[in-house]
Amino acid sequence: MTHRTLVSASILDCDLADLARESMRALDGGADRIHLDVMDGHFVPNISFGAPIIKNLRRIGNRPFDAHLMISEPGRYMDQFIDAGCDSITIHVEVEEPIEPTLLKVRKAGRLAGLAIKPATPLSALDPYRDLLDIVMVMTVEPGFGGQTFMDEGAAKIGPARGVFRDRPGERPSRREVHVDGGVNRDSAAVCGAYGADVLVVGSTLWRKGHDISEEIRAIKALADEANERSMNLVKE
Ligand code: DX5
Ligand code: ZN
């Protein structure tokens, strides 16, 4: 069964002592990508892992790696994340340093470049970067921790996020992916699908005791796809 909605599995809450095995479990269970949450204890009040761990995780083979950098100085470390083999690299629009050179560097390296926005940040914050983005990542929790509750305040931006993308003449066309990150599970998947999200980041629900990874992913994709189809039909009517 092919689905419109893709799932990027966040391994933040998996058994971190066995990242390679856990990542393979997610991919074998139907995840399309691995979502890698990098936290520096400064941009967010939590510390996770960095580029060396991602590079080592490449041992699992050539599977799509989506990096989500919740760090204050992405520009300083970007070469490391490119070298680690990340296929897409998303940084936060709220960082207090120049963003454009970092996005350009990611694109020049042939990777997808993304900007994430916190729930309270307006989409207009992305305006200066519209023609440099492959990914807009709409956060539906305050970044920093897995297992939080989906926030509708963020979700309202999923639909309008599609309008952010623009191509820059002479540059590779944008991939135009809207990602939703935070609190995505069976309860919130339909909202994401109805708003037209392309990639759902799914974390803690995959690793919860008693949950079957492939069952969760299958259900989440189906709920999102169905809601998307319904909303498309409503638009047509
Ligand atoms: C939060 C992270 C998310 C999170 C997803 O800061 O960016 O990727 O780990 O996990 P759940 O699905 O548990 O919200
Ligand atoms: Zn994330």
Side-chain angles (χ1 to χ4, degrees):
M1 166 108 198
T2 53
H3 290 276
R4 177 196 173 278
T5 313
L6 302 181
V7 163
S8 196
S10 162
I11 41 84
L12 190 61
D13 280 347
C14 76
D15 175 4
L16 291 169
D18 213 341
L19 261 188
R21 191 184 65 108
E22 295 284 75
S23 300
M24 284 314 298
R25 280 213 300 146
L27 291 164
D28 290 345
D32 301 281
R33 306 175 184 178
I34 299 296
H35 177 97
L36 298 149
D37 287 306
V38 177
M39 305 182 184
D40 65 353
H42 187 260
F43 183 77
V44 289
N46 196 8
I47 300 176
S48 58
F49 49 79
I53 292 209
I54 297 177
K55 193 168 181 172
N56 273 266
L57 191 58
R58 261 293 164 223
R59 174 180 319 158
I60 69 171
N62 193 21
R63 313 299 290 265
F65 278 9
D66 278 335
H68 174 197
L69 308 189
M70 287 160 274
I71 65 178
S72 297
E73 297 181 272
R76 180 168 169 188
Y77 299 100
M78 192 48 73
D79 286 334
Q80 289 186 31
F81 288 101
I82 291 170
D83 176 60
C86 301
D87 299 286
S88 71
I89 306 177
T90 295
I91 66 175
H92 268 266
V93 72
E94 298 89 0
V95 296
E96 293 170 6
E97 65 168 26
I99 287 174
E100 177 160 340
T102 306
L103 295 174
L104 278 167
K105 179 179 258 190
V106 173
R107 298 195 107 221
K108 209 172 241 162
R111 318 299 166 87
L112 301 183
L115 276 177
I117 52 170
K118 294 184 186 182
T121 305
L123 264 187
S124 58
L126 303 178
D127 283 351
Y129 317 106
R130 295 178 66 176
D131 54 2
L132 286 172
L133 296 178
D134 296 295
I135 293 168
V136 172
M137 188 175 291
V138 177
M139 296 293 304
T140 38
V141 297
E142 274 307 318
F145 300 91
Q148 302 182 79
T149 306
F150 188 85
M151 290 167 70
D152 293 323
E153 186 187 5
K157 285 181 279 184
I158 301 171
R162 170 100 31 224
V164 167
F165 300 107
R166 221 181 243 170
D167 291 335
R168 181 177 281 202
E171 282 259 349
R172 157 175 77 70
S174 161
R175 186 73 72 88
R176 302 184 182 226
E177 290 184 353
V178 177
H179 294 212
V180 179
D181 185 12
V184 178
N185 52 33
R186 291 182 194 229
D187 295 330
S188 50
V191 175
C192 302
Y195 281 128
D198 303 301
V199 178
L200 302 184
V201 177
V202 184
S204 52
T205 192
L206 299 181
W207 315 108
R208 193 153 292 152
K209 234 185 163 164
H211 282 197
D212 178 80
I213 293 180
S214 57
E215 254 315 296
E216 292 308 309
I217 293 177
R218 192 202 57 72
I220 286 168
K221 286 184 175 182
L223 287 161
D225 280 1
E226 279 161 29
N228 183 261
E229 216 159 281
R230 268 199 307 275
S231 70
M232 296 305 272
N233 286 339
L234 279 179
V235 172
K236 271 187 234 148
E237 275 166 18

